[in-house]
Structure formats: structure tokens, C-alpha cells
Amino acid sequence: MAHAGEEGPPAYIRAALDVLQVERIDHGVRCLEDPALVARLAGARVPLTVCPLSNVKLRVFPTLAEHNLCQLLDAGCW
């Protein structure tokens, strides 16, 4: 497990998968900026531990209503 893709870019998620060989990503909400990465996460069924309140508190998203959790689920991420 690695904490990646909350405030950092999708490349951090990819590095966690490739270099650290993680099986779960904490947060990962920025993966939607990289469609190939989304397909990889969904296809490999890599769980994302998403914490919307943390994402709002750290200003990744301005409000809960603007969080991308539904988009992640629609893209096949879980």
C-alpha cells in the first residue's frame, strides 16, 4: 500500500505500482487525469482507499459535491 495521487500527479500512482509493487493505493483520486492509468487500475482491480473529507480539507477538491468519487466508480475503479 502507498499513499499516492492525492496532491501529487498520476505519475506518483504509476511509480507506486511499478517501483513499490503495491497492491492498494491510498487516495489515487488524481488518476482520472491519466486514462491509461485508470484502465490499468480498473483492469488489475487495484483498490483505492479514498477519503473525501481529507481531499476537501487538503483542498484537492473545493467541496464534497465536486469530489470525483462517482467518476472513479463509473470508470471501474474500486
Side-chain angles (χ1 to χ4, degrees):
M1 174 274 300
H3 185 134
E6 181 178 26
E7 295 178 282
Y12 289 4
I13 301 167
R14 192 176 302 284
L17 295 169
D18 295 339
V19 176
L20 301 177
Q21 301 289 305
V22 299
E23 297 176 355
R24 185 182 92 207
I25 298 289
D26 280 358
H27 295 291
V29 294
R30 302 239 350 245
C31 71
L32 288 176
E33 297 170 20
D34 182 340
L37 179 58
V38 172
R40 179 179 176 184
L41 292 167
R45 301 181 57 102
V46 176
L48 303 178
T49 308
V50 179
C51 183
L53 291 177
S54 172
N55 298 152
V56 171
K57 194 70 168 170
L58 291 173
R59 299 176 192 248
V60 177
F61 298 97
T63 66
L64 282 175
E66 296 173 82
H67 197 280
N68 68 359
L69 181 58
C70 289
Q71 292 172 300
L72 289 168
L73 293 171
D74 289 344
C77 294
W78 58 290

